[in-house]
């Protein structure tokens, strides 16, 4: 069964450093998402991406965040200058057009020290 | 008011019990509704979509009441493997981004 994959599974970084979280969505899916979940909190929407551009972004997705689909398979989330409060689990999800069922990757646990 | 509200639990039930979870949402423009399941430190996985007419999938039954902005999930004949956090999720408008509740934790005991 096709699945969304994410790397790395765990990333530890120092405050102020840049991180790139990588996702490989399911191959025929057209909509891509990033969500995050701070430990003990709810899953929160960050950004959606379709047709090589951002469709929608939340208040969390400020200028420190960017997304890219550089090569038609990878979908990346970059945090330019990490803060302690960026520590969370980051989930990538993808969706086949029009069916609303989003498939989540296993997540990247980001720890900012 | 939170966009999606759920009783956090935990619900501790014996195997074989029937358990019901409720959820309310604040935005009447919400268009699509789901229950997801999340195991500890894992990704959310879609359990079922929720339709106005109600829908059933094996031991699981979901109901939607648009007038009351209320969604429910009923689990019959609980199994140990049902232990997880159940997330109520809505989509507002046409953008597709999921709005999650904080989840209700279920623990099924032998």
């Amino acid at each position: 069964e096709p699945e969304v994959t994410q790397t790395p599974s765990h990333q530890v970084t120092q405050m102020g450093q840049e991180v790139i979280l990588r996702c490989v969505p399911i191959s025929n899916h057209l909509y891509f998402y990033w969500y995050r979940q701070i430990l003990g909190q709810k899953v929160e929407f960050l950004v959606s991406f379709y047709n090589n551009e951002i469709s929608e972004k939340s208040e969390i997705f400020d200028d420190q965040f960017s997304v890219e689909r550089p090569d038609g398979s990878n979908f990346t989330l970059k945090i330019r200058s990490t803060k302690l409060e960026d520590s969370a689990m980051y989930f990538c999800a993808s969706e086949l057009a029009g069916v609303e069922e989003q498939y989540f990757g296993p997540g990247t646990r980001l720890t900012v020290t | 008011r939170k966009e999606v509200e759920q009783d956090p639990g935990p619900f501790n039930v014996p195997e074989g019990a029937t358990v019901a979870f409720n959820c309310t949402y604040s935005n009447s423009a919400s268009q699509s509704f789901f229950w997801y399941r999340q195991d500890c430190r894992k990704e959310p996985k879609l359990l079922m979509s929720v339709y106005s007419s109600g829908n059933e999938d094996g031991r699981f039954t979901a109901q939607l009441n648009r007038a009351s902005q209320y969604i429910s999930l009923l689990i019959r004949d609980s199994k140990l493997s049902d232990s997880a956090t159940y997330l109520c999720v809505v989509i507002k408008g046409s953008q597709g981004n999921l709005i999650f509740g904080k989840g209700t934790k279920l623990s099924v005991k032998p």
Side-chain angles (χ1 to χ4, degrees):
Chain A
E1 185 177 318
E3 56 184 21
V4 177
T5 59
Q6 289 185 243
T7 54
S9 56
H10 191 191
Q11 173 92 48
V12 182
T13 189
Q14 289 190 326
M15 200 166 52
Q17 296 297 303
E18 174 183 287
V19 294
I20 298 176
L21 310 183
R22 301 180 194 282
C23 168
V24 179
I26 295 172
S27 62
N28 61 338
H29 285 191
L30 299 179
Y31 294 83
F32 313 109
Y33 304 84
W34 282 102
Y35 295 85
R36 80 168 185 192
Q37 186 175 29
I38 295 169
L39 188 63
Q41 302 297 314
K42 66 179 182 178
V43 178
E44 298 174 290
F45 166 74
L46 292 178
V47 65
S48 58
F49 193 86
Y50 171 70
N51 201 24
N52 284 320
E53 59 183 28
I54 291 174
S55 306
E56 190 173 0
K57 56 185 181 180
S58 72
E59 291 175 355
I60 303 167
F61 194 89
D62 62 20
D63 291 345
Q64 293 300 311
F65 290 87
S66 62
V67 289
E68 214 176 31
R69 189 157 158 81
D71 57 10
S73 61
N74 289 285
F75 179 49
T76 62
L77 174 70
K78 183 194 289 186
I79 308 175
R80 262 180 274 282
S81 178
T82 49
K83 307 183 191 71
L84 294 175
E85 55 264 36
D86 293 328
S87 295
M89 184 74 102
Y90 287 81
F91 293 109
C92 171
S94 71
E95 178 190 325
L96 185 63
V99 298
E100 294 183 334
E101 181 173 346
Q102 294 184 23
Y103 291 82
F104 282 74
T108 293
R109 180 170 302 283
L110 176 65
T111 302
V112 182
T113 62
Chain B
R1 184 180 170 188
K2 294 176 186 171
E3 289 193 274
V4 179
E5 287 203 68
Q6 297 181 249
D7 180 345
F11 284 56
N12 297 309
V13 303
E15 265 187 296
T18 295
V19 61
F21 305 136
N22 303 319
C23 165
T24 57
Y25 59 95
S26 61
N27 192 326
S28 58
S30 299
Q31 296 188 354
S32 301
F33 309 89
F34 308 91
W35 284 101
Y36 275 71
R37 169 198 169 123
Q38 186 174 31
D39 292 287
C40 189
R41 296 181 179 257
K42 300 285 190 182
E43 73 273 24
K45 291 189 176 177
L46 179 65
L47 183 64
M48 58 197 305
S49 301
V50 187
Y51 305 114
S52 296
S53 54
N55 48 302
E56 189 173 308
D57 183 2
R59 298 181 293 108
F60 299 85
T61 301
Q63 297 274 357
L64 166 65
N65 184 322
R66 284 188 185 269
S68 303
Q69 296 179 203
Y70 171 94
I71 305 161
S72 65
L73 176 68
L74 184 77
I75 305 175
R76 288 180 298 278
D77 188 22
S78 301
K79 312 288 185 197
L80 295 176
S81 56
D82 293 334
S83 296
T85 297
Y86 289 83
L87 309 176
C88 179
V89 182
V90 307
I91 293 180
K92 181 175 62 178
S94 59
Q95 291 294 334
N97 50 296
L98 304 179
I99 301 169
F100 285 80
K102 202 171 173 185
T104 298
K105 187 171 182 180
L106 172 66
S107 182
V108 182
K109 307 289 188 188

